[in-house]
Amino acid sequence: MNLLYEPFIDGILSDGYGIMDDFLSPSEVTALRTCLHNRREAGQFRLAGVGNGQVTVTTAIRGDEILWLDEATATADEAAFLERIGQFVQYLNQTCYLGLRDFEFHYALYPTGTFYKRHLDRFRSDSRRKLSVVCYLNDNWQENDGGQLVLYLPEADGLEGQMTVTPVGGRLICFDSGQLEHEVFPATRERLSVTGWLKTA
Ligand code: OGA
Ligand code: MN
């Protein structure tokens, strides 16, 4: 499908994560960011929760506001994004035999100063989350804006490595939901993304 995907696939298979810049073009990022802002201004976002069902809101653990994407109510730009993810899933299944069947995505907005403490994405009671995917929607993000994603990487000999990802608009990061703990650092400005999970049957 796309040669850009090759190093990315290798990363997922050998290290449990892959990063791809410009997964979304600047105009796609701008379009989705506009949709996000419109929906937030319409009062559609809610503080995210923790645990299965996300029933408990705990800003000491995570402070982002989210809105699940729904094909039935998607704008043209959101539908195009979901379509794009569908193609990506197809490609992953063809190259990695991951057996992905389904996906779910939400917008996430971290107000200034909020964070998400170190955690694992896969719920004990929902082992279907195979890969976590985050696509950033930020405009002109700078290193000193903060808001990095840090992946904690288990290494042979029991040590732990770290991979730090700056949330640059259009960048996509994908990692093993069941293996890699990670956290989101606070930022000095609003931090925007569309985040989701690719699931097995
Ligand atoms: C999450 C998460 C990472 C990010 O939503 O579970 O860890 O970089 N997001 O936004
Ligand atoms: Mn997470």
Side-chain angles (χ1 to χ4, degrees):
M1 178 190 199
N2 188 334
L3 283 177
L4 269 180
Y5 289 175
E6 301 273 322
F8 175 83
I9 300 293
D10 290 346
I12 290 178
L13 293 177
S14 56
D15 309 323
Y17 71 91
I19 300 180
M20 200 190 312
D21 282 338
D22 306 312
F23 176 77
L24 297 181
S25 70
S27 63
E28 289 170 320
V29 170
T30 305
L32 283 176
R33 190 167 60 234
T34 302
C35 293
L36 182 159
H37 283 309
N38 288 342
R39 290 186 180 282
R40 179 135 185 279
E41 274 153 34
Q44 296 176 5
F45 277 60
R46 295 285 174 270
L47 263 173
V50 294
N52 205 356
Q54 301 207 327
V55 279
T56 316
V57 168
T58 321
T59 52
I61 298 175
R62 72 184 292 189
D64 56 326
E65 298 176 24
I66 66 167
L67 173 65
W68 289 96
L69 292 185
D70 178 354
E71 261 171 69
T73 56
T75 63
D77 295 310
E78 291 164 350
F81 172 77
L82 293 171
E83 170 78 25
R84 187 76 198 287
I85 293 291
Q87 291 166 6
F88 180 57
V89 165
Q90 227 182 351
Y91 179 82
L92 285 175
N93 277 334
Q94 284 160 5
T95 51
C96 309
Y97 309 104
L98 293 172
L100 303 171
R101 289 286 166 272
D102 199 7
F103 55 82
E104 54 186 6
F105 275 81
H106 64 58
Y107 286 123
L109 180 150
Y110 286 78
T112 301
T114 62
F115 50 80
Y116 195 159
K117 292 286 192 198
R118 181 168 175 162
H119 66 282
L120 195 64
D121 280 350
R122 184 183 286 179
F123 300 127
R124 267 174 293 255
S125 53
D126 183 1
S127 60
R128 297 195 308 136
R129 286 183 171 187
K130 176 72 186 155
L131 291 176
S132 303
V133 176
V134 189
C135 194
Y136 300 107
L137 302 180
N138 300 305
D139 179 34
N140 192 26
W141 195 271
Q142 301 297 311
E143 208 61 59
N144 61 10
D145 291 331
Q148 294 88 352
L149 166 68
V150 177
L151 298 178
Y152 296 99
L153 308 170
E155 288 175 353
D157 62 22
L159 294 177
E160 186 175 75
Q162 286 188 13
M163 169 73 199
T164 301
V165 182
T166 301
V168 171
R171 174 173 286 170
L172 179 129
I173 168 100
C174 183
F175 56 90
D176 189 322
S177 306
Q179 299 295 327
L180 294 193
E181 294 191 359
H182 54 282
E183 80 176 283
V184 177
F185 284 168
T188 57
R189 51 180 282 206
E190 249 177 28
R191 177 190 192 274
L192 312 176
S193 65
V194 53
T195 296
W197 290 273
L198 311 184
K199 298 158 70 159
T200 52

